[in-house]
């Protein structure tokens, strides 16, 4: 058997090994092709920001049955579509790619990402945490990603206060020359993408990522004030 045949066989086995039960929301047909080259999944395409009513209806049915993973391009247009979808489907899971993983010849999009990068992003997909319902006990707050890996829970101590802009400042994620690069590196490790300080802070709280997890990932020790 030729090496290329071996590689195709391995890729095929990996694809079969990772089946996504949720419906993945992408922007276009090329994104769907890239997703299906990486995993076994069903997709719905928004075809841009101007989502047609019939597409909204399909999305609603999928949201209520299989659940949704919102997986838009890591650019400003993709972020606007993500916000619009999240407003409509607040309990949807979210998957993110780093721009470097989705860039090719000046174009940024999921269709440019490797199957490995797409699988990694989907394995790290996160769902929202409702802080108003948190009362302590780590197991009660752990959310499971479609790939089977649990996401980070809020602190087991029951301290469910959201991360604040003051925390962002102290961690060097805001107001310093290297803040954007720091957010990008952290977002890549946590699987929440990169964004402006305000959007990044909202994502940390939306996904219930604890202060301890942020500090451990940044490898810093911040004295509480």
């Amino acid at each position: 058997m030729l090496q290329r045949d071996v590689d195709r066989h391995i890729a095929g086995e990996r694809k079969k090994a990772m089946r996504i039960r949720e419906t993945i929301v992408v922007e276009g047909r090329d994104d769907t092709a890239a997703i299906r080259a990486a995993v076994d999944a069903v997709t719905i395409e928004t075809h841009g920001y101007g989502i047609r009513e019939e597409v909204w209806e399909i999305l609603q049915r999928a949201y209520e049955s299989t659940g949704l993973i919102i997986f838009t391009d890591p650019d400003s247009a993709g972020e606007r579509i993500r916000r619009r979808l999240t407003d409509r489907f607040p309990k949807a899971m979210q998957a993110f790619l780093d721009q470097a993983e989705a860039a090719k010849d000046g174009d940024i999009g999921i269709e440019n990402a490797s199957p490995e990068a797409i699988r990694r992003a989907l394995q790290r997909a996160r769902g929202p945490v409702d802080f108003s319902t948190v009362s302590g006990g780590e197991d009660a707050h752990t959310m499971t990603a479609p790939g089977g890996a649990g996401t980070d829970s809020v602190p087991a101590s029951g301290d469910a206060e959201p991360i604040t802009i003051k925390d962002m400042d102290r961690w060097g994620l805001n107001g310093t020359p290297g803040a954007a690069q720091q957010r990008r590196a952290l977002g890549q490790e946590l699987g929440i993408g990169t964004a402006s300080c305000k959007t990044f802070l909202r994502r940390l709280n939306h996904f219930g990522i604890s202060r301890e997890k942020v500090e451990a990932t940044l490898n810093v020790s911040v004295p509480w004030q």
Side-chain angles (χ1 to χ4, degrees), residues 40 52 61-62 85 115 119 153-154 206:
D40 180 5
R52 301 190 306 274
R61 288 198 296 271
L85 290 166
R119 283 192 288 268
S153 63
V154 297
H206 180 73

Side-chain angles (χ1 to χ4, degrees), residues 90-94 124-129 143-145 151 206-208:
K91 295 182 179 180
M93 298 188 75
Q94 310 270 346
R124 292 178 173 180
R126 294 178 177 273
V129 169
M143 306 193 69
T144 302
T151 63
H206 180 73
F207 298 126

Side-chain angles (χ1 to χ4, degrees), residues 4-164:
R4 65 176 179 232
D5 295 325
V6 173
D7 293 341
R8 285 173 184 163
H9 175 74
I10 293 173
E13 289 302 309
R14 285 177 176 170
K15 178 180 176 181
K16 286 189 290 185
M18 186 172 179
R19 184 177 185 278
I20 307 299
R21 61 178 176 267
E22 290 85 358
T23 301
I24 304 176
V25 189
V26 295
E27 295 179 46
R29 287 178 295 180
D30 290 340
D31 299 327
T32 287
I35 295 291
R36 291 180 179 172
V39 297
D40 180 5
V42 174
T43 63
I44 297 175
E45 299 157 9
T46 68
H47 298 291
Y49 186 82
I51 303 171
R52 301 190 306 274
E53 186 57 37
E54 56 264 37
V55 176
W56 282 121
E57 292 174 1
I58 296 170
L59 287 167
Q60 184 66 44
R61 288 198 296 271
Y63 182 61
E64 294 170 357
S65 56
T66 65
L68 297 177
I69 298 177
I70 299 172
F71 197 14
T72 56
D73 294 342
D75 57 12
S76 57
E79 183 60 28
R80 287 194 297 272
I81 296 170
R82 185 186 295 276
R83 286 198 299 266
R84 189 177 188 198
L85 290 166
T86 303
D87 286 344
R88 187 84 166 248
F89 308 114
K91 295 182 179 180
M93 298 188 75
Q94 310 270 346
F96 300 87
L97 273 174
D98 187 75
Q99 283 193 352
E101 297 175 313
K104 182 179 180 181
D105 299 329
D107 176 65
I108 295 176
I110 289 172
E111 72 271 17
N112 299 322
S114 68
E116 291 76 15
I118 289 171
R119 283 192 288 268
R120 186 165 53 247
L122 290 170
Q123 286 172 329
R124 292 178 173 180
R126 294 178 177 273
V129 169
D130 182 357
F131 280 95
S132 67
T133 66
V134 173
S135 59
E138 185 170 354
D139 291 342
H141 319 314
T142 300
M143 306 193 69
T144 302
T151 63
D152 304 301
S153 63
V154 297
S157 64
D159 176 13
E161 291 184 6
I163 293 171
T164 67

